Amino acid sequence: MTTRWIAPRGLEDLLGRMRKSTVQDYAVTGSIAAAHWAAYAPSRSAMIYAADPQTAAEEWGLRPAESGVNVLLAKPAYGVAFKGAISRQDGLRLAAPAQVAVDLMTGPGRAPSEAEELIDWMVRNEQLWR
């Protein structure tokens, strides 16, 4: 199940709220996560796995939306989306690089190109992510 939201103060504010949040069962994927390993271009939207999207959205100050969406929250059908997730030093939780690459490969717009960039990084730096 995927739900659509607006972070009214933008993505940087959202990421700051997430770092301070009591919600711990989430993992950022897509462009924002990929930029941790292989920066491609500024992120225009956030893709986040959350075990309880409604609670996460409330705590992070998101507003439901049909248009102008800049945040997608997905409740994974299986726990694999959280497997291998890492916590950055600033506290933000990211999906594993392989999961991020798969998500980008099937994403819209420039996402497949971001996936290629991330996969190139993964090949060059296998010892860092396996």
Side-chain angles (χ1 to χ4, degrees), residues 63-124:
R63 296 184 182 152
E66 290 302 318
S67 63
V69 172
N70 64 356
V71 179
L72 295 175
L73 295 181
K75 182 176 182 173
Y78 305 100
V80 70
F82 297 116
K83 186 174 173 131
I86 65 161
S87 290
R88 292 191 330 191
Q89 287 183 333
D90 66 0
L92 193 67
R93 292 183 45 78
L94 306 178
Q99 180 68 53
V100 175
V102 168
D103 292 338
L104 286 168
M105 279 189 242
T106 60
R110 69 179 188 212
S113 296
E114 290 176 285
E116 288 178 26
E117 194 72 26
L118 177 57
I119 291 167
D120 288 344
W121 178 90
M122 292 169 68
V123 168
R124 292 188 314 271

Side-chain angles (χ1 to χ4, degrees), residues 40-65:
Y40 185 80
S43 299
R44 295 179 285 190
S45 62
M47 296 171 25
I48 306 162
Y49 290 111
D52 184 350
Q54 187 64 41
T55 298
E58 289 171 11
E59 185 154 336
W60 298 339
L62 301 177
R63 296 184 182 152

